[in-house]
Amino acid sequence: MTDHHLASRLIGPAILATLLAAIPLAAHAGQGQHRSGELPAHPPVPTLRGELRQSELSVPVPIPTPRPERPKEPPEAEPKPPAPGKSTGLPKRERTCRAALTALGIDFTDKAPIAEADGCAIPHPIIIRRLSRTIALEPEALVNCRTALALARFFVDQAPSLAKRHLGQALHSVHHASAYVCRPRRGTQKLSEHAFGNAFDIGVFTLTDGTQVPVEVQKDPNGKAAKFLDAFRAAACGPFKTVLGPGSDADHGDHFHLDMKARRNDHAFCR
Ligand SMILES: [Zn+2]
């Protein structure tokens, strides 16, 4: 039985005829045969927004002209750091001090200013490697110029004769225990004079024959070393504003502490 016969039996011949007449195209739509005028041969294809059509592509697109180049500015000249060893731009007092050091035969190197957050500071520090033309310093020491000059004067004018008299020979070198150190005084909140490059600790004297004289309480208080150390310590009080050593307190049993702390009436504290 065909579909038509089945349909006519189900819904009646008259209704079927009406339905069939109304859908002539639908019965052939799947075969790809379109009668002219009934369906457009090429239905319009929607263009997506933003797509360029062929006609639009043919329009010449203006090419942006490059901006004229700005004339190049000359690079900024960077300030030159001062050459090491050159004492330029220093206050007069510092320049005078350096001239005096040079006159005594002391080589030095200027260093960058020290200014630590906790207050330790040397505005114009120097490094010294000798205490006189003939007395070496080991290791090199970072101090302010005033302290360096006090050391140089003492080791040029006084220390050689003390060594000759009590030890019978010349000093070859001095080993220092500390110079600039950013620290408070032991047991206090107050900064040490070392924190300002204002202090210098002597640990050991070495003589020209290699003999070492450590700064400590001597077994023989009447021996050469003891006499030299006592004489040195006494002579240093005055040229240096603080002199401490073995016997002063527990902190100075193995070195002489010399510093340039300013006191009223230029008073020196020696113990
Ligand atoms: Zn010290």
Side-chain angles (χ1 to χ4, degrees):
M1 192 186 290
T2 68
D3 289 346
H4 283 181
H5 290 136
L6 179 60
S8 67
R9 285 176 65 178
L10 290 173
I11 60 176
I15 297 170
L16 181 63
T18 307
L19 285 171
L20 288 172
I23 53 168
L25 288 170
H28 303 282
Q31 298 171 15
Q33 295 172 5
H34 303 292
R35 290 179 209 170
S36 113
E38 290 173 343
L39 282 176
H42 300 287
V45 177
T47 51
L48 294 171
R49 247 182 220 198
E51 277 185 13
L52 288 175
R53 283 173 288 181
Q54 188 61 41
S55 60
E56 288 169 332
L57 287 173
S58 64
V59 174
V61 178
I63 299 167
T65 50
R67 284 187 193 176
E69 278 191 25
R70 293 173 65 183
K72 285 184 181 171
E73 292 169 8
E76 282 184 24
E78 289 184 11
K80 283 183 183 171
K86 290 281 167 65
S87 309
T88 51
L90 289 169
K92 190 184 176 193
R93 192 177 71 175
E94 294 288 332
R95 281 185 277 125
T96 303
C97 176
R98 282 158 178 73
L101 272 184
T102 301
L104 289 171
I106 307 299
D107 292 332
F108 61 87
T109 305
D110 279 290
K111 301 298 285 183
I114 295 169
E116 308 272 2
D118 39 15
C120 302
I122 311 180
H124 308 290
I126 60 173
I127 281 189
I128 53 172
R129 298 176 182 83
R130 306 198 67 78
L131 293 174
S132 77
R133 284 191 172 89
T134 57
I135 304 171
L137 175 59
E138 295 166 356
E140 61 183 25
L142 181 62
V143 290
N144 63 31
C145 192
R146 185 163 170 255
T147 301
L149 186 56
L151 285 166
R153 283 178 173 156
F154 192 76
F155 277 88
V156 168
D157 295 339
Q158 302 203 47
S161 58
L162 295 175
K164 272 258 163 61
R165 188 185 314 157
H166 297 290
L167 299 167
Q169 54 181 307
L171 293 172
H172 171 265
S173 59
V174 165
H175 191 97
H176 81 84
S178 58
Y180 169 74
V181 186
C182 187
R183 69 172 183 220
R185 280 198 229 158
R186 183 80 63 89
T188 72
Q189 301 286 318
K190 206 176 171 194
L191 286 172
S192 159
E193 290 299 304
H194 286 280
F196 305 105
N198 221 18
F200 184 84
D201 291 346
I202 296 177
V204 182
F205 295 91
T206 300
L207 311 183
T208 46
D209 72 351
T211 302
Q212 293 203 322
V213 180
V215 178
E216 61 190 14
V217 174
Q218 301 295 303
K219 285 174 190 165
D220 178 3
N222 297 311
K224 290 180 177 180
K227 294 224 162 146
F228 167 74
L229 292 174
D230 288 347
F232 184 99
R233 189 168 174 169
C237 184
F240 297 96
K241 302 308 166 192
T242 307
V243 179
L244 300 170
S248 298
D249 55 39
D251 294 335
H252 297 90
D254 61 358
H255 65 272
F256 285 146
H257 167 96
L258 312 173
D259 77 43
M260 297 303 288
K261 180 180 174 68
R263 290 193 182 85
R264 205 178 298 166
N265 301 326
D266 206 25
H267 173 69
F269 178 79
C270 308
R271 189 161 67 182

